[in-house]
Amino acid sequence: MDIDELDWNRTLREQFEFHWNHQLRARLDGLADDEYFWSPVPDAWSVRPRGTSTAPMQAGAGDFTVDFGYPQPIPAPFTTIAWRLGHVIVGVLATRNAAHFGGPEVSYETWKYAETASTALDQLEEQLDLWLTGVRSLGEPGLQVRVGPKEPFPDLRMSDLVLHIHRELIHHLSEVCLLRDLYLHTNPSAHGENR
């Protein structure tokens, strides 16, 4: 096949879709609230009921907020599954869906963070669907368009942003899977409950 005949839009989508469909999604099934909020170390950043955080800063519009600090402490605090999913849902997906694909304006401050693992997974799937639908709508020509001033590097092309977002998704969601493994192997009573 001639390189000019490749469907780059499909290829970029499949970079993440294959990973999601064949490696990640099934690994998230059965995520329980205990796992979602579990911290293997003291003082990890998480999503917590409003007013209960000891992190330097908190953000969120609902009953739960996400921990953060600016500038970020060195070393960066360990983060729970709840925090990592919140970051992926809001910072990686929802803000990009708003900036490029007509999603509602959103920020860490205005987001209603999930109070349960099930709600977080629903939010994740909703934002993933919006993202992949948006990427599909770009077709081939849209991948060459500059991302513009809504992104930190406005001269990059949409294809660069798609690759970046997919790397972020694969990276952070793989961390979530690793934390699930750690939870399972350090909490013997969890065997059979969540898998």
Side-chain angles (χ1 to χ4, degrees):
M1 174 185 282
D2 183 12
I3 190 102
D4 293 332
E5 295 176 28
L6 286 176
D7 181 343
W8 285 108
N9 187 288
R10 179 184 54 79
T11 300
L12 289 175
R13 287 192 325 271
E14 285 180 353
Q15 176 199 31
F16 179 72
E17 288 174 329
F18 182 87
H19 191 62
W20 175 254
N21 291 326
H22 298 284
Q23 293 172 317
L24 284 174
R25 185 58 190 99
R27 293 285 317 276
L28 298 175
D29 285 343
L31 180 66
D33 292 348
D34 286 349
E35 279 183 279
Y36 178 65
F37 292 113
W38 177 70
S39 175
V41 300
D43 301 319
W45 281 0
S46 191
V47 170
R48 7 181 140 259
R50 182 174 295 284
T52 64
S53 174
T54 59
M57 303 171 85
Q58 303 86 47
D63 292 336
F64 278 59
T65 60
V66 68
D67 299 334
F68 74 102
Y70 189 81
Q72 184 171 300
I74 299 173
F78 191 85
T79 56
T80 65
I81 290 175
W83 191 97
R84 290 165 200 247
L85 287 177
H87 169 65
V88 166
I89 293 163
V90 180
V92 176
L93 291 169
T95 57
R96 274 26 184 269
N97 287 332
H100 302 288
F101 300 129
E105 287 299 316
V106 66
S107 69
Y108 285 110
E109 292 79 14
T110 63
W111 190 259
K112 289 188 178 180
Y113 290 90
E115 300 176 21
T116 66
S118 174
T119 302
L121 293 177
D122 289 345
Q123 289 177 343
L124 176 62
E125 294 216 37
E126 178 182 353
Q127 293 304 317
L128 278 172
D129 287 345
L130 288 171
W131 170 255
L132 292 169
T133 298
V135 172
R136 186 175 292 108
S137 75
L138 294 171
E140 296 292 310
L143 292 172
Q144 296 302 315
V145 173
R146 305 281 180 199
V147 295
K150 292 183 179 182
E151 294 293 337
F153 302 99
D155 291 332
L156 293 179
R157 298 181 190 280
M158 282 300 293
S159 57
D160 297 312
L161 179 64
V162 172
L163 285 168
H164 170 68
I165 295 304
H166 291 177
R167 283 189 304 265
E168 285 285 291
L169 291 170
I170 291 167
H171 164 80
H172 289 299
L173 294 175
S174 295
E175 292 173 335
V176 168
C177 292
L178 180 63
L179 279 173
R180 291 202 76 193
D181 290 342
L182 185 61
Y183 180 83
L184 179 68
H185 289 281
T186 57
N187 292 279
S189 65
H191 288 276
E193 288 178 15
N194 303 320
R195 313 269 163 131

